[in-house]
């Protein structure tokens, strides 16, 4: 018997992993599974080695263990693979947020960026899918941006500095807890429109689409995917069969589908029986018949068609706008370019435009993106639709007790268009107020929609007074300065994450109604509908969304919280965001508008 | 897109975060420099692994007698294993994200100190007011829990 564990300090392990010569090859004496104790020791040694905390003897032990057993090597690789994924999970969040911010430029800047990006398409095509990932990698970014001669920045240090630059001392411990991973969950998107659509499993507009099969048996449907792609599915000619996979790809095994893909979903993949269609920022149509014959038609931009069972990419598989490729069946891996596509998708495109133009856009009355320099919330007239700066609710002339931050505490949501990188933090026991430029009469029949991003972290135990935070609306009975002065306002509506973690709607002091349960310290997008009525009681309803739960593009039939109806009079004049003594809250992307659509700007 | 696999490959070669990050950085630079030599009819990852392997060898050569986690022969054996089993990475990564969400805030914080900030066991212990042994036990337990959760989610999805 040959002792191959000279460095091992664990007697039990030494006895479990003895080896002998057999046909000149070293094999373990026992073919039993690796004992749990050995596995634990291996994991422990790997853990110590990762941060240079293993002694010389422990490193020898580790190397000896790994030399001697293939199963332990496999376990080590599996373990180190998970370590790598964990590093990636936390780094990915930083990159994802940065990427989202980059792609959230509003208006003309976004159009200009799109144009530049289109030019860059040629380069992306040249590098194909393989090296395309480098555009998004944190390492690449640091390499590209580092001036010559400057020392390189460790990715970990970059995370550190990013956090520390934006940290407010009093919030330091909260920043450390801010490690929510990237979007997950079994939610790929939302059914956003349907015309005569019958789904299996049954779906209505506003329903989410999860991992698994989805069949459209008739009509036309539209799904907005959380990653930034829009699918138009047409079952007027034939049933459309799809499958949404855990890796974010979509298989179309039968039917006609148009994909409209935004920059954020670059690399989006649709699989057909014979091909993988990798989007390079475009609109393309896929048509698959019941025999597995398929056509890929590029409407705009470019795609790459890959054989379904290979990673390789062939040069001739790149398709640009106007081109169509036909595959004769599931076994046809090469396909061929055709001049005349058998299907025209013009009518579907027309229908899509009609849907879009029919959507009520409404009017944005107020907007506050908290696009101020980090630090104390300044007394400036930024934002739209307000009069005067933010101030403490008790004194219009003073500095509000709130700070502007930039960082990960309140991260934007992937499907929401955000205009700025900064957000506002309401420290414990603070109230900040701002006046609307045009007060809204409570004595007319109209609906007002309000949306905002919010994170509330309860610091005390569940149920402790002071653990809530939220937004409230205040009215004055008379707008004349001598009557409607400061302090004459009364609370008319409020929406909060309360001390019991309920989404509570209120129609005034003493009139509260708890809604859905919230997770402490979650990032939420909240949409509130204020229903103002001239003769009947007023009320409010609210709906809340997380990053895994994109909103509908039209007003939903169901809400998550509803207040007690109460008849108010006067003018909605002041908005406040507040935070209890045992909580910290952050707010961003505050919008007031006339329709759901005007306050829910979705990326698609 | 493939950064996780590449990092995993390098971490399996050298065994420690700091050197793995350095080598990953150098590998990315090399990939950029050699982008013209990449043929689009070849799979990307094996090509990138070959470049990474060269960088790992250069690292081991330059380190000489300095202390390293994996001896060169062990490093090679581990990378061979890695190259044969790096597929299904994305579903695992996705499952991990979902599983991380289920950890309690304290454990999430501990994991993040280790993996987001790259802290040593002693550093995490000091930061959290625990003993090194306690931190080690929690981390090992959390990793096992995450591994089980990933397996459970993958089994569910299949």
């Amino acid at each position: 018997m040959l002792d191959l564990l000279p460095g091992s300090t664990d007697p039990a392990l030494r006895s479990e992993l003895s080896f002998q010569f057999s046909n000149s090859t070293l094999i373990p004496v026992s073919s039993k599974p690796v004992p749990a104790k050995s596995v634990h020791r291996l994991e422990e040694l790997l853990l110590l080695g990762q941060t240079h905390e293993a002694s010389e003897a422990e490193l020898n032990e580790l190397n000896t263990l790994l030399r001697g057993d293939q199963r332990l090597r496999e376990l080590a690789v599996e373990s180190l693979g998970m370590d790598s994924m964990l590093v990636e999970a936390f780094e990915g969040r930083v990159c994802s947020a940065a990427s989202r911010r980059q792609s959230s430029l509003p208006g003309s800047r976004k159009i200009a960026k799109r144009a530049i990006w289109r030019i860059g398409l040629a380069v992306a095509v040249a590098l194909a899918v393989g090296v395309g990932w480098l555009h998004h990698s944190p390492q690449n970014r640091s390499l590209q941006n580092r001036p010559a001669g400057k020392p390189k920045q460790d990715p970990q240090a970059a995370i550190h500095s990013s956090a520390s630059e934006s940290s407010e001392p009093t919030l330091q411990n909260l920043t450390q807890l801010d490690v929510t991973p990237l979007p997950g969950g079994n939610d790929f998107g939302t059914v956003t429109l349907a015309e005569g659509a019958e789904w299996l499993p049954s779906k209505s507009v506003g329903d989410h689409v999860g991992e698994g099969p989805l069949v459209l048996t008739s009509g036309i449907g539209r799904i907005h995917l959380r990653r930034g792609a829009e699918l138009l599915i047409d079952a007027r000619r034939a049933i459309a069969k799809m499958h949404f996979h855990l890796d974010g790809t979509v298989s179309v095994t039968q039917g006609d589908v148009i994909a409209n893909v935004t920059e954020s979903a670059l690399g989006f993949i649709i699989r057909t029986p014979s091909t993988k269609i990798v989007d390079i920022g475009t609109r393309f149509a896929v048509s698959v018949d019941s025999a597995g014959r398929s056509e890929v038609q590029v409407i705009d931009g470019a795609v790459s068609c890959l054989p379904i069972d290979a990673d390789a990419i062939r040069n001739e598989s790149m398709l640009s706008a106007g081109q169509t490729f036909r595959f004769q069946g599931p076994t046809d891996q090469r396909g061929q370019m055709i001049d005349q596509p058998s299907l025209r998708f013009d009518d579907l495109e027309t229908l899509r435009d009609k849907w879009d133009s029919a959507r009520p856009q409404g009017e944005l009355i107020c907007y506050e993106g908290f696009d101020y320099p980090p630090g104390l919330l300044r007394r400036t007239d930024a934002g739209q639709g307000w009069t005067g700066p933010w101030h403490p609710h008790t004194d219009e002339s003073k500095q509000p007790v709130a700070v502007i931050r930039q960082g990960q505490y309140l991260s934007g949501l992937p499907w929401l268009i955000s205009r700025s990188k900064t957000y506002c933090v309401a420290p414990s026991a603070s109230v900040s107020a701002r006046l609307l430029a045009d007060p809204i009469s409570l004595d007319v029949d109209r609906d007002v929609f309000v949306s905002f991003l919010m994170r509330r972290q309860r610091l005390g135990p569940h149920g402790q007074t002071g653990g809530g935070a939220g937004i409230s609306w205040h009215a004055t009975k008379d707008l004349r300065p001598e009557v409607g002065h400061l302090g004459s306002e009364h609370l008319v509506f409020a929406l909060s994450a309360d001390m019991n973690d309920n989404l509570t709607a209120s129609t005034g002091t003493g009139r509260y109604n708890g809604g859905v349960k919230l997770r402490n310290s979650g990032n939420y997008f909240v949409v509130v509908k204020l229903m103002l009525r001239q003769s009947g009681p007023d009320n409010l309803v609210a709906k809340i969304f997380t990053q895994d739960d994109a909103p509908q593009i039209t007003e939903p039939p169901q809400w998550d919280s509803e207040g007690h109806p109460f008849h108010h009079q006067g003018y909605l004049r002041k908005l406040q965001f507040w935070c209890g003594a045992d909580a910290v809250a952050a707010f961003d992307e505050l919008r007031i508008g006339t329709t759901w659509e005007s306050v829910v700007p979705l990326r698609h | 897109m493939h950064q996780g696999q590449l990092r995993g490959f390098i971490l399996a070669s050298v065994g420690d975060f700091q050197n793995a990050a350095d080598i990953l950085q150098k590998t990315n630079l090399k990939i950029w420099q050699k982008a013209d030599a990449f043929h689009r009819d070849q799979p990307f990852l094996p090509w990138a692994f070959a470049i990474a392997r060269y960088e790992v060898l250069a690292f081991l050569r330059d380190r000489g007698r300095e202390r390293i986690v994996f001896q060169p022969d062990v490093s090679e054996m581990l990378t061979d294993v890695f190259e044969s089993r790096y597929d299904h990475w994305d579903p695992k990564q996705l499952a991990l994200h979902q599983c991380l969400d289920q950890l309690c805030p304290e454990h999430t914080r501990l994991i993040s100190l280790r993996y987001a900030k790259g802290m040593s066991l002693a550093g995490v212990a000091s930061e959290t007011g625990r003993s090194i042994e306690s931190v080690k036990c929690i981390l090992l337990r959390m990793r096992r829990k995450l591994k089980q959760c990933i397996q459970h989610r993958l089994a569910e999805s299949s």
Side-chain angles (χ1 to χ4, degrees), chain A residues 54 67 133 140 156 246 313, chain B residues 3 40 44 67 73 94 116:
Chain A
R67 265 189 207 103
W133 60 270
N140 172 51
Q156 306 291 349
L246 201 59
I313 176 170
Chain B
Q3 198 69 172
R40 285 165 50 218
F44 174 73
R67 218 167 85 183
D73 61 328
L94 183 63

Side-chain angles (χ1 to χ4, degrees), chain A residues 39-40 43-56 59-60 62-64 66-68 70 72-91 125-140 142-144 146 152-156 159-160 163 173 175-177 179-186 188 211 227 245-248 267 311-318 519 547-548, chain B residues 1-9 11-13 15-19 21-26 28-29 31-32 35-36 38-44 47-48 63 67-75 77-79 81-82 85-86 88-98 100-101 105-106 108-109 111-123 127 132-133 135-137 139-140 142-144 146-147 150-151 153-154 156-157:
Chain A
V39 177
H40 292 174
E43 288 175 338
E44 187 180 6
L45 291 170
L46 288 171
L47 199 68
L48 291 167
Q50 281 166 354
T51 40
H52 303 283
E53 289 169 289
S55 67
E56 193 76 43
L59 288 180
N60 283 338
L62 176 63
N63 279 280
T64 308
L66 293 171
R67 265 189 207 103
Q70 170 71 12
L72 284 179
R73 289 198 288 276
E74 288 170 0
L75 286 169
V77 164
E78 193 180 339
S79 177
L80 292 162
M82 195 165 89
D83 289 321
S84 175
M85 286 181 188
L86 280 163
V87 172
E88 198 74 4
F90 290 106
E91 280 197 0
V125 168
L127 288 174
V129 184
V131 287
W133 60 270
L134 280 166
H135 290 286
H136 296 288
S137 80
Q139 285 72 20
N140 172 51
S142 66
L143 284 168
Q144 282 185 310
R146 193 171 72 239
K152 75 181 174 192
Q153 189 181 17
D154 189 299
Q156 306 291 349
I159 295 172
H160 245 148
N173 56 344
T175 306
Q176 286 168 358
L177 279 169
V179 285
T180 311
L182 278 167
N186 185 21
F188 288 86
E211 191 265 339
R227 294 187 177 185
H245 300 281
L246 201 59
D247 61 2
D311 289 331
I313 176 170
R314 289 171 290 121
N315 292 338
E316 66 268 30
S317 67
M318 205 64 77
R519 191 163 59 91
Q547 61 182 2
D548 294 337
Chain B
M1 188 151 57
H2 300 301
Q3 198 69 172
Q5 287 104 312
L6 206 50
R7 185 199 299 278
F9 178 89
L11 190 60
S13 311
D16 76 277
F17 291 142
Q18 196 181 325
N19 286 322
D22 285 348
I23 296 169
L24 180 63
Q25 187 105 304
K26 287 176 185 168
N28 282 331
L29 186 59
I31 286 172
W32 263 121
D36 289 344
F38 174 70
H39 298 293
R40 285 165 50 218
D41 54 356
Q42 72 180 109
F44 174 73
W47 179 74
R63 277 304 170 105
R67 218 167 85 183
I68 49 177
V69 177
F70 297 139
Q71 295 299 325
D73 61 328
V74 173
S75 169
M77 286 191 272
L78 291 173
T79 50
V81 173
F82 189 92
R85 15 168 72 212
Y86 66 84
H88 305 305
W89 187 276
D90 289 347
K92 282 183 192 166
Q93 180 86 54
L94 183 63
L96 174 65
H97 283 305
Q98 294 163 341
L100 278 171
D101 220 6
E106 182 54 30
T108 309
R109 183 185 172 205
I111 291 256
S112 78
L113 290 173
R114 175 76 175 178
Y115 293 99
K117 302 194 172 181
M119 280 191 181
S120 63
L121 295 174
E127 186 75 20
I132 293 178
E133 268 312 300
V135 168
K136 194 164 70 181
C137 285
L139 279 176
L140 288 172
M142 286 306 104
R143 294 178 83 271
R144 273 177 223 132
L146 287 171
K147 190 176 162 186
I150 290 170
Q151 285 168 348
R153 283 187 176 272
L154 291 179
E156 261 185 352
S157 67

